[in-house]
Amino acid sequence: MMRSLILLSQLFFYLLLFLYSQLTSSSSSVPLCSQDQSFALLQFKQLFSFSNDVSFNCDEVGLHYYPKMESWKEGTDCCSWDGVTCDRMKGDVIGLDLSCSWLCGTIPFNSSLFLLPHLQWLNLASNNFNYSSISSRFGQFARLKHLDLSHSMFSGKVPLEISQLSQLASLDLSDYNSYLKLEASVVKRLVQNLTKLRELHLENVEMSSISLSSFMNLSSALTSITLNNCLLRGKLPDHIFRLPNLRELILTDNPELTWSFPMVNWSTPLRYLDVSRTIYSGVLPKSIGKMKFIQHLFMSECKFNGSIPAWLGNLTQLIDLDLSINNFSGEMPSSISNLFVLSYFDLRSNNIQGALPIWLGNLTRVTEIFFGTNNFTGQIPSSLSNLKNLTFLGLRYNNIGGRIPNCFANLTKLTAIHLSYNQLTGQFAEFQFSDSLEFLSLDNNRLYGSIPKSISNLVNLSFLDISSNDLNGTVDFNMFKKLKTLLYLNFRANLLHGVLPVPPSSMRNFLISNNRLSGEIPSSICNVTSIEILDISYNSLSGTIPSCLGNFSNSLVVMDLRRNNIYGTMPETFAEGNTLRTLVFNGNQLEGLLPKSLVNCKYLEVLDIGNNKINDSFPYWLEDLPVLQVLILRSNKFNGQLDNFKTKSSFSLLRIIDLSHNEFSGSLPTNFFKGLKAIKTTKESEGEVKYMEQGYYQDSVIVAMKGQSFVLERILTIFTTIDLSSNKFHGKIPEVIGMLNFLRGLNLSHNRLIGHIPSSLGLLSVLESLDLSSNRLNGEIPMQLTSLTFLAVLNLSQNQLMGPIPQGKQFGTFQNNSYGGNLGLCGFPLSKNCGIDERPPPPIFQEDNNPMFMSGFGWEAVLLGYGCGLVFGIAMGYFMFKIGKPQCLLGLIEENRPRKLKMPSNQRSRGSRNYSI
Ligand SMILES: *[C@@H]1O[C@H](CO)[C@@H](O)[C@H](O)[C@H]1NC(C)=O
Ligand SMILES: *[C@@H]1O[C@H](CO)[C@@H](O)[C@H](O)[C@H]1NC(C)=O
Ligand SMILES: *[C@@H]1O[C@H](CO)[C@@H](O)[C@H](O)[C@H]1NC(C)=O
Ligand SMILES: *[C@@H]1O[C@H](CO)[C@@H](O)[C@H](O)[C@H]1NC(C)=O
Ligand SMILES: *[C@@H]1O[C@H](CO)[C@@H](O)[C@H](O)[C@H]1NC(C)=O
Ligand SMILES: *[C@@H]1O[C@H](CO)[C@@H](O)[C@H](O)[C@H]1NC(C)=O
Ligand SMILES: *[C@@H]1O[C@H](CO)[C@@H](O)[C@H](O)[C@H]1NC(C)=O
């Protein structure tokens, strides 16, 4: 945004320069330019090569981006050269505008540029000075009024000499990156000496060392100040708000800057104020009502609390109002209905309460309403039908109930309605929307009835989410024929029945899981050739899989058919070059062999064919899939030994492995364990932990861990588990398992394992669940297991273990049932003591008392508490359940939408400034 503003301001500047040069040089035909100045300019030209590699967005605001210096030729009048302005009387070069001129090079101390002593304007913006520093000789232009070095890749310290430019009316050192630094001493001098300064733009200039008290001396001539992302720290003197001519102040993105509005004796001509992502301490004071002229007010993420003061209604010139991501509570004051020119209204992510007011319909100029993530109640007022210019209505995550009034039908500019996560009810078929709609999300409400044919009238729709409602009835095949631009369709978690509707061929994401669809998968689904995500899981689909399904879309990334009644064999047709990342057939009745063409799925990360009837030997050839992370073969008829792994097995990224409930036999696969690099070492520091997901699809698997099966609704990329239980493995547990440093779950139960529990298991320092039950293990429980401080579940029952149970740490938390059926064990918690007088240490964690644990969360969840996003994921012990999804974790369409860039409007101060030439 700032860039556009600044470039626009440049545009005005050049326009004036141009007019001036027309005035000054038009009538004369005699060359004006003196030899020495002409020479100096030509010499200056020599410093540069001309290259447009660096893409400055000069076009963005209509500035031409071309090598102006090309017109600079020896023997011609330098006053006629592009970018050069001369004094009409004396012929002195007084203005140089080389902005957006492809300059690539540096300006050394002895540059001939500094031989132009009459310069009053100098503009070198939007070039590439290759991270050189700003020469101190810029301070020698004693007559300079306007200096613009913005967006030109200067770096280093801004020289003190800049503060000698006491005639300066505008100074712009902004840049895209923070390579320039202003030191405390320079700022102090600058502020003292540049008493005529009206515009000061220092976007992204690092000023972390300055003392904010130096701003006490800011020139009262200032009309515009830009200080966003300057690393300003401390408390800003309110003097800056009192500057008598200040129309525009931008302090955005200084997260350690604290400020407050003046409380008394304040009047201000401010038009534009952006303080987003700075710290305001406390409640908004009455005095905010003093900003009589304010048109654009952005105060997002400032830690405001308390209620929105009624005085805001006095700011009747407001066009943009952004109070998002604060902690405002209470109701919206009705005085806001006075803001009759308001266009952009953003209250997202606060805790505003009360019914959505009817007077919202009085804000007739409003174009965008962002009220998502608050606590609005009541119904949607039908007065919204007055908002003829409304384009965006965001009300997600509130408590709005009732039916959706038919106030949207005639709002022909409306392109997006987001009403997800409310309590809306009513028959979906009754709602009317304008056909201008492109985004409609109504998911997670209580809408019922069938999906009406009329939905096909919304011909501009590209995004439709009505998941998690109570919609029933069948979905008409033909319904979507007219919706040619529809890309995303989510019907998940409703009560839809009938056959699987085939989406339009434009479709990218099609999610209709968790319904009651039946019948076969029509082979016409293979006509949807652009599809990326196909999720038809958790239905009652039956029949066989159309063979084309392995190879119908070049862009298919996710295919999820889990939990249906599909039988027959898996498709054989996975083609070379496919982009599949997730393939899930879990919970069907597929039989036969695993298709070898799966080796063509080079991007496959998740392969889940658990709970079928596949009868095959272990698919060693899957090791050719370089990014496979999740392999689930659970509950099939896989058989044979696992001893054919190469010494250097290459399942190197595999980290969730479930081979349980099959008929594998032989000894445990030592070489396989050795190859599991992703579990041995993890590159991911906690800061990089994320979920496996693809667009709106979340990878999920069912894992058995901690004694129960869990739906892992989202898979954290640091989650690791190996489950080889319920097979016929025999022999000893290999010591090498101890090398799997980052293993969190290990289940070898229900096999025929013999020998001792290897003490190397004590090296699995993040292990949370260990199940070795129902084997023939003997010997003592190694003491080393007490170093497993994350262990929440231990099951060693039904073995032939003996001797004392280790004591201390997590071992204080396990109950009798961890050890049942081992007649030779003694010590706490068993009643049989070992003959030595030992008193068990008190348990450090009493799992029985903790409901969170009982519902399956890891004990660390209790310690870390709740948060959102990542922290939440980690805190919840990597589990996300179907129930009680926290709001903040869901795909935040609205929240992710970038704030509309505010282009300066005609009313803006920048537009009306004039330079005294
Ligand atoms: C302040 O400006 C004057 C010219 O008006 C100049 O002589 C002086 O050196 C400047 N002071 C500083 C500290 O730059
Ligand atoms: C707001 O406007 C009302 C009525 O116009 C006026 O009485 C009040 O003083 C104003 N408040 C402020 C803080 O300017
Ligand atoms: C909204 O507009 C209506 C009709 O113009 C008017 O009667 C009503 O008082 C206004 N409401 C508020 C709160 O300003
Ligand atoms: C709606 O927008 C149009 C065009 O942008 C404008 O001419 C009209 O005045 C606006 N209507 C209202 C009520 O603001
Ligand atoms: C939301 O508002 C309702 C009623 O106005 C209140 O009972 C509830 O506690 C509020 N919720 C939050 C999170 O503030
Ligand atoms: C929409 O406009 C039409 C014609 O202008 C009118 O007949 C109809 O009642 C309006 N519908 C709503 C819901 O306002
Ligand atoms: C769909 O739901 C509505 C309302 O809940 C109910 O009246 C109707 O019988 C249902 N239809 C079917 C086919 O289940």
Side-chain angles (χ1 to χ4, degrees), residues 325-343:
I325 320 181
N326 283 294
N327 203 13
F328 285 116
S329 54
E331 300 197 3
M332 254 198 305
S334 61
S335 61
I336 288 185
S337 63
N338 298 334
L339 307 182
F340 63 98
V341 291
L342 196 61
S343 168

Side-chain angles (χ1 to χ4, degrees), residues 635-749:
S635 276
N636 276 285
K637 297 179 180 167
F638 283 95
N639 51 58
Q641 308 203 346
L642 288 187
D643 48 11
N644 267 335
F645 286 97
K646 299 172 197 154
T647 6
K648 268 200 148 181
S649 160
S650 52
F651 282 100
S652 59
L653 294 186
L654 213 51
R655 55 192 177 78
I656 296 180
I657 301 154
D658 187 349
L659 309 183
S660 67
H661 296 88
N662 278 294
E663 290 159 23
F664 289 118
S665 56
S667 50
L668 290 175
T670 307
N671 284 343
F672 179 60
F673 296 134
K674 282 184 184 163
L676 299 173
K677 290 206 191 81
I679 309 185
K680 287 205 285 197
T681 52
T682 177
K683 271 177 249 127
E684 283 161 304
S685 68
E686 297 257 312
E688 291 162 343
V689 173
K690 48 188 190 293
Y691 293 106
M692 295 182 78
E693 60 193 352
Q694 179 66 35
Y696 293 94
Y697 177 88
Q698 292 289 339
D699 280 300
S700 70
V701 290
I702 298 172
V703 293
M705 195 174 172
K706 308 194 176 181
Q708 276 174 285
S709 290
F710 294 114
V711 179
L712 209 62
E713 282 244 320
R714 316 182 74 180
I715 310 176
L716 274 174
T717 53
I718 55 164
F719 185 77
T720 53
T721 175
I722 296 178
D723 189 346
L724 304 181
S725 65
S726 299
N727 278 289
K728 298 176 189 162
F729 290 112
H730 55 73
K732 295 186 171 182
I733 300 175
E735 290 274 347
V736 293
I737 289 190
M739 292 161 64
L740 302 173
N741 288 326
F742 293 92
L743 192 62
R744 292 174 195 271
L746 177 63
N747 190 346
L748 302 176
S749 69

Side-chain angles (χ1 to χ4, degrees), residues 34-44 92-94 96 107-119 122 137-138 140-141:
S34 70
Q35 276 279 297
D36 55 334
Q37 294 188 44
S38 180
F39 185 68
L41 286 170
L42 285 171
Q43 283 240 301
F44 184 54
D92 297 329
V93 175
I94 54 170
L96 197 52
I107 305 174
F109 189 77
N110 60 2
S111 163
S112 57
L113 174 68
F114 304 115
L115 303 175
L116 300 167
H118 306 286
L119 276 186
L122 178 57
R137 291 189 68 191
F138 277 96
Q140 291 178 2
F141 295 114

Side-chain angles (χ1 to χ4, degrees), residues 385 406-407 409-410 432:
S385 61
N406 284 331
C407 56
N410 285 353
Q432 291 171 23

Side-chain angles (χ1 to χ4, degrees), residues 261 271-275 288 291 294-299 312 315 318-323 344:
F261 286 112
R271 259 64 164 178
Y272 191 110
L273 177 63
D274 191 344
V275 288
I288 189 162
M291 293 195 288
I294 194 85
Q295 295 171 342
H296 312 274
L297 182 58
F298 300 100
M299 307 202 294
L312 210 56
L315 311 183
L318 270 182
I319 296 168
D320 297 309
L321 176 59
D322 181 358
L323 302 176
Y344 174 87

